[in-house]
Amino acid sequence: MHTQNKERPWHQQKIRRQEKLDAARAKGLEKCVTNERTTELLETVISPQDRVCIEGNNQKQADFLSECLSRCDSEVLNDLHILQSVLALPSHIDIFEKGIASKVDFSFAGPQALRLAKLVQQQKIQIGSIHTYLELYGRYFIDLTPNVCLITAHSADADGNLYTGSNTEDTPAIAEATAFKSGIVIAQVNELVDSVPRVDIPADWVDFFIVAPRPNYIEPLFTRDPAQITEVQILMAMMVLKGIYEPYQIKRLNHGIGFNTAAIELLLPTYGEELGLKGKVCTNWALNPHPTMIPAIESGFVDSIHSFGSEVGMDDYIESRSDVFFTGKDGSMRSNRAFSQTAGLYACDLFIGSTLQIDLQGNSSTATVDRISGFGGAPNMGSDPHGRRHSSYAYLKAGQEATDGQVVKGRKLVVQMVETYREHMDSVFVEELDAWQLQEKMGSDLPPIMIYGDDVTHIVTEEGIANLLLCRTPEEREQAIRGVAGYTPVGMQRDHEQVKALRARGIIQRPEDLGIDASKATRDLLAAKSIKDLVRWSNGTYQPPSRFRNW
């Protein structure tokens, strides 16, 4: 017989939240808090061992709140469990060195990768897991719900309605998970206005807001100067267009960050036009507004772009191209990292990105022993989603290749585009990933592998393309990878006869097999050769950050 538990208290979270709010009010801390009292507010409404979500994205940072948290007294605040998409700023690591926080669950740590690795080696930080973005957002609503979140927005009105502008990014996911589970939402804003252009986060989700002493930091993460693109990267981009995008008719896609993919974007109006690919490839994107996309947009290749975040200097251009970008009535774009990650996972037919290491099974990772960069969205973008139920030409073709035509489900194309050697002459191709050593140092149940080899369909290097879909045995797969690994130790161990046979079957394709004349892979093919050229393509609406202006 079922008996109801009448003794259990059902509103402890609400009671605890109200106690924190009452403590703040008792100190005269109203909804709009002066920036001088921010640290006092944090010490009042955050408790030891709380889960605290700091808005730290690829680009937009709640930097003032993070710095104030790092100035808190570790006797008052300690043992915090930090939830954060990206560990990007020094203050994000400072809180661990000062003993304010002890555990972190995150996705990416590019700018702080070296410091994070050092803390792990010194056992001064506990890493819960290195998540993909969607995985971390999902856990906000399951078992990693924040007790307090520190977010950022462009402006607020007197009631606390927030306008996030083009860099909405993670804000809705963080704020909703916190506000609807009796958590406390604290926002830093750039300005207080009479009326916000649109309400991105309603006032009743927000407990406190602070006009920060300076605008929140935004990193121009996706800006690549065309002047830095090399002829090797141009050759690889030509192979991708001719050997992957054209035969698979890739219309819906995501590009990772880097000069390799920037080269592809800048070849669309030139080499892509020469191949007759306009309207046939690269029409619909899950992508930040890369400035290197401007020539392709202006040349008529692009129908739509939904973005994870915005990019510094692109606001006026985005407003002038509302047919392409998702913009509001105020003219500004509203990005959304969670929705764009979902689009990249389920609605795109191809992801192409880069990595630091690839092993003989095609597993790849950007987490090495001395540099824990994390993954960001790559495991979402770069995985074959078994939940997908709609078809496309690319999805079907890849599925047929993987199964000798016996299609029950298609395959998403996941491409790793790398030069065989990276900086300091470190080989990208390795017999074993550092992830296994790192697993031991982290005390993790799983090695931090970014993209699993069984999801990778193609590897592109300066030597050629390896189509792993066509491999039928682990041995063929290994030799296909060795066959494009160049003069690395892994590449030098190839079986030349097997590689020759794989090339005859089209599993390995060299530039000449694709009809590409490598001597034509010059910078003359780039639609824009400098940042200034991108400004010209935009009719002056692109306003690059000062660090990219050299004219």
Side-chain angles (χ1 to χ4, degrees):
M1 180 178 177
H2 176 73
T3 57
Q4 186 174 0
N5 183 357
K6 296 182 179 179
E7 303 301 320
R8 175 179 171 177
W10 292 102
H11 303 290
Q12 291 303 295
Q13 293 171 7
K14 285 188 175 182
I15 292 169
R16 183 72 187 115
R17 164 187 153 81
Q18 193 57 51
E19 287 173 350
K20 290 181 174 184
L21 295 177
D22 289 346
R25 303 291 185 249
K27 294 181 178 181
L29 295 165
E30 301 299 328
K31 187 165 188 174
C32 183
V33 179
T34 60
N35 59 56
E36 295 87 358
R37 301 189 71 186
T38 304
T39 297
E40 181 186 3
L41 170 68
L42 299 180
E43 290 181 345
T44 303
V45 300
I46 302 175
S47 301
Q49 301 183 6
D50 269 355
R51 287 189 297 266
V52 179
C53 186
I54 305 172
E55 184 168 14
N57 302 325
N58 274 329
Q59 297 154 285
K60 184 178 66 167
Q61 307 292 334
D63 53 344
F64 177 67
L65 288 176
S66 179
E67 288 168 14
C68 289
L69 183 63
S70 74
R71 290 197 288 267
C72 286
D73 185 345
S74 61
E75 294 294 318
V76 177
L77 277 190
N78 51 67
D79 208 19
L80 298 183
H81 182 176
I82 300 299
L83 315 175
Q84 192 161 355
S85 291
V86 180
L87 301 169
L89 304 176
S91 60
H92 295 157
I93 303 298
D94 292 345
I95 58 175
F96 295 97
E97 292 182 339
K98 293 179 178 181
I100 296 166
S102 59
K103 184 176 181 179
V104 65
D105 280 274
F106 74 106
S107 294
F108 184 63
Q112 300 300 322
L114 298 177
R115 285 183 75 192
L116 180 62
K118 192 173 181 180
L119 283 175
V120 169
Q121 289 164 3
Q122 295 171 346
Q123 296 187 320
K124 289 185 176 179
I125 188 171
Q126 181 186 356
I127 294 178
S129 293
I130 306 175
H131 299 72
T132 108
Y133 286 133
L134 277 180
E135 182 180 19
L136 186 59
Y137 304 154
R139 291 191 70 189
Y140 292 166
F141 293 90
I142 300 294
D143 62 334
L144 289 181
T145 306
N147 301 114
V148 178
C149 73
L150 311 178
I151 61 173
T152 183
H154 183 77
S155 57
D157 62 19
D159 294 325
N161 292 300
L162 304 182
Y163 169 64
T164 55
S166 56
N167 283 88
T168 303
E169 303 194 45
D170 298 13
T171 318
I174 298 169
E176 184 164 337
T178 308
F180 288 87
K181 203 65 170 62
S182 301
I184 291 177
V185 177
I186 304 172
Q188 71 173 75
V189 299
N190 297 342
E191 59 182 3
L192 184 63
V193 296
D194 292 333
S195 177
V196 292
R198 66 171 189 252
V199 175
D200 288 308
I201 304 294
D204 61 356
W205 294 17
V206 179
D207 297 294
F208 303 96
F209 66 92
I210 299 114
V211 180
R214 63 182 186 279
N216 64 283
Y217 180 71
I218 299 177
E219 170 69 21
L221 187 69
F222 295 88
T223 298
R224 291 293 179 269
D225 186 345
Q228 304 298 317
I229 294 174
T230 67
E231 292 186 347
V232 169
Q233 291 161 344
I234 292 166
L235 175 63
M236 291 166 63
M238 292 172 74
M239 286 192 277
V240 168
L241 285 171
K242 186 75 181 290
I244 300 177
Y245 288 13
E246 181 178 33
Y248 290 95
Q249 299 179 24
I250 300 297
K251 290 191 170 185
R252 305 177 305 181
L253 70 162
N254 167 259
H255 275 186
I257 310 170
F259 288 101
N260 290 335
T261 46
I264 299 172
E265 293 155 14
L266 290 171
L267 288 189
L268 283 171
T270 57
Y271 187 60
E273 183 78 50
E274 181 185 321
L275 295 174
L277 297 181
K278 186 186 295 184
K280 297 177 181 177
V281 303
C282 300
T283 54
N284 304 94
W285 300 71
L287 193 75
N288 276 59
H290 296 188
T292 45
M293 284 295 296
I294 293 172
I297 294 169
E298 296 301 302
S299 299
F301 271 83
V302 180
D303 291 339
S304 71
I305 297 176
H306 186 268
S307 299
F308 309 88
S310 191
E311 190 67 0
V312 179
M314 285 288 284
D315 288 353
D316 290 346
Y317 180 75
I318 290 166
E319 185 172 356
S320 72
R321 297 293 180 266
S322 62
D323 280 356
V324 172
F325 296 97
F326 285 71
T327 59
K329 294 176 182 177
D330 64 312
S332 76
M333 183 177 75
R334 176 175 155 120
S335 57
N336 188 301
R337 198 169 296 280
F339 286 158
S340 219
Q341 287 287 328
T342 304
L345 176 62
Y346 281 108
C348 288
D349 291 321
L350 174 140
F351 162 77
I352 183 167
S354 194
T355 188
L356 296 180
Q357 290 186 336
I358 300 176
D359 69 12
L360 295 177
Q361 290 74 50
N363 297 307
S364 66
S365 187
T366 53
T368 60
V369 169
D370 58 353
R371 183 176 169 184
I372 305 177
S373 299
F375 309 138
N380 296 141
M381 306 291 111
S383 64
D384 182 38
H386 286 212
R388 176 168 166 169
R389 290 296 181 271
H390 71 281
S391 182
S392 67
Y393 180 86
Y395 189 67
L396 276 178
K397 179 178 172 65
Q400 290 165 346
E401 286 185 348
T403 57
D404 290 326
Q406 303 299 313
V407 177
V408 176
K409 67 177 289 293
R411 278 291 295 269
K412 180 180 179 180
L413 292 161
V414 176
V415 183
Q416 293 288 45
M417 186 182 185
V418 295
E419 294 180 52
T420 52
Y421 280 97
R422 50 191 175 93
E423 70 273 12
H424 312 305
M425 289 304 290
D426 289 327
S427 172
V428 169
F429 293 90
V430 295
E431 299 281 342
E432 182 181 276
L433 298 177
D434 281 9
W436 297 100
Q437 295 178 52
L438 196 55
Q439 177 189 8
E440 188 176 339
K441 287 190 176 295
M442 290 169 51
S444 173
D445 292 332
L446 300 168
I449 294 170
M450 180 175 69
I451 297 178
Y452 294 116
D454 55 7
D455 278 327
V456 177
T457 62
H458 296 76
I459 296 174
V460 182
T461 73
E462 67 271 24
E463 201 176 2
I465 300 174
N467 184 342
L468 303 183
L469 288 168
L470 298 173
C471 296
R472 292 295 172 260
T473 66
E475 293 74 25
E476 285 186 357
R477 189 180 183 85
E478 177 181 325
Q479 289 302 321
I481 292 171
R482 289 190 190 273
V484 295
Y487 291 99
T488 64
V490 164
M492 297 291 279
Q493 292 296 315
R494 70 185 65 175
D495 182 311
H496 290 278
E497 288 303 313
Q498 285 193 50
V499 168
K500 184 178 178 181
L502 292 174
R503 188 176 175 187
R505 289 166 54 193
I507 293 174
I508 292 176
Q509 292 181 297
R510 309 290 187 210
E512 56 269 30
D513 302 332
L514 295 166
I516 294 172
D517 181 351
S519 69
K520 294 183 178 178
T522 70
R523 288 180 48 79
D524 290 339
L525 275 182
L526 297 176
K529 299 176 181 62
S530 66
I531 292 286
K532 189 174 183 179
D533 285 349
L534 295 176
V535 174
R536 289 196 190 102
W537 271 98
S538 76
N539 295 314
T541 55
Y542 171 46
Q543 299 165 8
S546 57
R547 75 170 98 156
F548 292 100
R549 290 179 179 268
N550 57 3
W551 66 92

